Structures are given as C-alpha cells and as structure tokens.
Amino acid sequence: PPVWVGLENFKRIFDSSLVKLSLRNSLIFLAMAVPIRLVTALALALLLQSRHRFFSVFRAAVILPSVIPEAAYALIWLWILNPIYGPLNLIGSLLGLPAPAWLAEPFSARMALVILSIFQIGEGFIVLVAGLRSISRSYYDSAQVDGASGWQIFIHITLPLLAPWLMLLSFRDMLMSLQNTFAPSFILTYGGPYYATTLEPLLIYELAFDFMDLGLAAAVLVLFFLLAALLTLGIL
C-alpha cells in the first residue's frame, strides 16, 4: 500500500546524479535548439512571405515535417542518420566530408536531436509569416524614400514590430522543445550513448515505467514544470 513520505522524493532529486545529468542535458538542448529554431523560422518566413503561388510549394515543404507523427518522424531520422547506409553519411562521403557515427557518440547524438528539431518549425513559420504580413507597407515605403538599406529596414522596422511574435514563439518553442524530446530520444538512442541524450521527459518515463519509482518520477515531473515556469519568467 502507498506510504506517506512527505518531501522525501524531492530530497531524493538532489541526491540523484541521473536527475542532475538529465536536467543539464535538457538545458544544453534548449540552449542549442531554441535559438536555431527561431532564427531558421524567421529566415524562411522572410524568404517565403510572398503571396505568389510559386512560393506556396516551398511553404508547404517547410510545414510538412511538423505534421508528421513524432514516432514516424523519429524513425525516418533513424534511417537518415545510420552511419553505414544512411543517406546523410553517404552524401557526405561523396563530397569528401567526414562521416560521424551520429548516434554512437555523445556530442553527435546531442546534435542529432537538435538537427531533428530544426526541421519541425512549421507552426513558428506560419506565425511569423502572419506577423510579417500584418506590418503595414507604409513603414517600408517611408524607409525606402528616406534611403534606408535593406539591413536598416530589417533592424529598425521588421525586427521591432515582430518582437511580440518572437516573444510568443520563444515561450512556445521552449516549452515544446522540453516536452517533444521524448519520442526522438526514446526511439533513436534511448538516452544513450552514456546518458548523453537522457532528457527530462525520457527520465520521467524510465523512473515511472522501467523502475516503477512513481514517487520520484512525479517529483521530477513537478521539477520539470517549475523549470519551464522559471525559464518563462526569465524570458519575460
């Protein structure tokens, strides 16, 4: 039967080296993935914001990886990143580039998860295209009359007026990046090699369903929510 232990499970969090490691891995992943995702979504939105029918095909291509089910998406990348017959290493070898053992080395395994996340920017891309189209053309016309360059227009008009949209996407990408790492880390590496891809969602799953330590898993989940709240406050 259940036994009341008070705050014992929260104390165990601070004694667990695995919990600390997964927290460190999650923060490293956020620091790498979220800025790259935002910059990529913004760059593609700037390139493909035109209403011309020709660009609709490219916009659909950007959105497509975000609508593929997570498990199927992870399995596709498991094939792409295979060091022996994966197309990424085969193309790299033809170009004379090094062929890393993607999922067998800690650093490259972390980078593989980041690369996976970069292609799933469909929602952010749609939001930024909508934000760009909401900016009045009169600002750009006035700037061009005053002789502003394209870079000056971007820095002094586009970027400030997109700031609320970018703030929204920062929150969304941070929370989604924390939550959506379970499927790729579970299917591609199961936390390896050497716990390099053991992120918080996977650790919670392992504690609850592999080790049946439901109390510690629930405590880590509470810590997970607190981490998300603190990061949100930090951005604000």
Side-chain angles (χ1 to χ4, degrees):
V3 177
W4 176 258
V5 294
L7 298 176
E8 183 62 31
N9 286 316
F10 292 98
K11 294 178 182 177
R12 290 172 61 199
I13 288 177
F14 299 101
D15 296 330
S16 172
S17 58
L18 192 56
V19 172
K20 295 175 183 176
L21 179 62
S22 68
L23 181 60
R24 175 175 168 271
N25 288 339
S26 296
L27 292 175
I28 291 173
F29 176 80
L30 284 181
M32 291 193 296
V34 173
I36 297 175
R37 283 167 58 91
L38 284 176
V39 171
T40 305
L42 178 58
L44 290 173
L46 290 168
L47 288 172
L48 303 175
Q49 63 178 309
S50 172
R51 297 179 186 271
H52 195 281
R53 186 176 298 178
F54 174 75
F55 289 93
S56 61
V57 177
F58 296 101
R59 286 196 291 269
V62 174
I63 296 167
L64 182 61
S66 300
V67 299
I68 299 175
E70 287 186 10
Y73 184 71
L75 287 172
I76 291 170
W77 276 98
L78 186 61
W79 167 66
I80 292 173
L81 295 171
N82 187 286
I84 300 173
Y85 58 78
L88 189 59
N89 276 7
L90 290 178
I91 294 171
S93 62
L94 291 175
L95 298 174
L97 300 174
W102 285 101
L103 303 177
E105 298 173 355
F107 178 77
S108 58
R110 287 196 192 102
M111 290 306 302
L113 294 185
V114 173
I115 293 170
L116 260 72
S117 70
I118 292 173
F119 289 89
Q120 292 183 308
I121 56 171
E123 297 92 340
F125 170 74
I126 292 173
V127 168
L128 289 176
V129 169
L132 287 169
R133 290 181 176 178
S134 70
I135 299 174
S136 174
R137 294 299 310 174
S138 61
Y139 295 121
Y140 296 109
D141 295 337
S142 300
Q144 289 172 352
V145 169
D146 289 338
S149 65
W151 177 250
Q152 289 173 325
I153 289 174
F154 173 73
I155 291 295
H156 297 292
I157 296 177
T158 304
L159 200 57
L161 293 177
L162 274 183
W165 305 81
L166 291 171
M167 180 71 72
L168 171 66
L169 286 179
S170 296
F171 294 143
R172 179 203 170 277
D173 268 24
M174 183 182 62
L175 297 176
M176 294 298 290
S177 295
L178 279 172
Q179 296 173 17
N180 290 355
T181 54
F182 173 76
S185 59
F186 180 85
I187 293 173
L188 268 67
T189 61
Y190 205 75
Y194 309 110
Y195 298 101
T197 58
T198 301
L199 306 180
E200 289 286 323
L202 179 61
L203 178 65
I204 292 168
Y205 171 85
E206 287 182 330
L207 289 173
F209 302 109
D210 284 351
F211 302 112
M212 298 304 295
D213 195 341
L214 300 179
L216 183 59
V220 175
L221 185 59
V222 172
L223 176 68
F224 187 70
F225 283 123
L226 289 175
L227 171 65
L230 289 173
L231 289 173
T232 302
L233 289 174
I235 291 176
L236 285 175

